[in-house]
Amino acid sequence: MSERLETGDTAPAFTLPDADGTEVSLAAHKGRKVIVYFYPAALTPGCTKQACDFTDNLQLLAGAGYDVIGVSPDKPEKLAKFRDQENLKVTLVGDPSKETLAAYGAYGEKKLYGKTVTGVIRSTIVVDEDGKVEHAFYNVKATGHVAKIIKDLDI
């Protein structure tokens, strides 16, 4: 089980390929707040709902100074299909090695339909302008999560 991040921790650095294969790094967002959300798989119902919710609220979040990056273990080709099929505007990056997922505490044992499995733990980490964890939400629900973040962040 990977360690969960807590408020005040330094957010682990990462550089991952986006849907077009372009490298995206957390360091490139220094000076802005970043919502990094982790989801199990592109093109699945819950993950689609969550990505669409972030896309629908992207202007509101950006206006409040937040960038949004979605991380899954998918390869760029699948992310591109997901983005294009759902008309997503959020930045999606792939972590097939699962190293970044693990570093953020978003990969490990979880309950799925009553069974213990190893996989992506749906999580959202809010990183401040200095690269520190402002909020860490684990085991979040796909539906309604974006509205809860907006409320919790007082946007």
Side-chain angles (χ1 to χ4, degrees):
M1 186 77 186
S2 42
E3 284 289 309
R4 292 191 168 185
L5 297 177
E6 295 180 17
T7 301
D9 287 348
T10 297
F14 65 82
T15 301
L16 297 168
D18 71 5
D20 298 315
T22 305
E23 299 278 297
V24 173
S25 70
L26 182 62
H29 294 265
K30 195 158 175 62
R32 290 200 40 94
K33 294 183 180 201
V34 185
I35 296 170
V36 185
Y37 80 95
F38 300 90
Y39 63 99
L43 302 166
T44 57
C47 298
T48 298
K49 173 78 177 112
Q50 189 177 21
C52 288
D53 281 354
F54 271 116
T55 293
D56 292 347
N57 288 285
L58 203 54
Q59 273 192 298
L60 176 69
L61 293 166
Y66 291 90
D67 295 334
V68 179
I69 301 173
V71 182
S72 74
D74 297 307
K75 292 186 167 32
E77 302 76 33
K78 188 173 180 188
L79 296 175
K81 184 177 178 188
F82 186 36
R83 176 195 62 201
D84 298 345
Q85 187 174 309
E86 301 298 334
N87 199 22
L88 300 172
K89 302 286 181 246
V90 293
T91 300
L92 301 174
V93 298
D95 181 23
S97 73
K98 303 178 186 73
E99 286 176 24
T100 299
L101 287 155
Y104 276 79
Y107 189 81
E109 283 190 358
K110 64 179 185 173
K111 292 278 189 217
L112 189 65
Y113 305 116
K115 289 186 168 54
T116 300
V117 298
T118 300
V120 176
I121 299 161
R122 193 181 300 275
S123 312
T124 300
I125 309 299
V126 180
V127 181
D128 72 12
E129 301 90 338
D130 299 317
K132 299 277 189 212
V133 174
E134 195 173 277
H135 297 279
F137 305 101
Y138 289 96
N139 295 311
V140 301
K141 301 280 181 243
T143 304
H145 178 59
V146 176
K148 184 179 179 338
I149 288 175
I150 289 168
K151 183 175 177 284
D152 289 350
L153 297 178
D154 210 17
I155 297 173

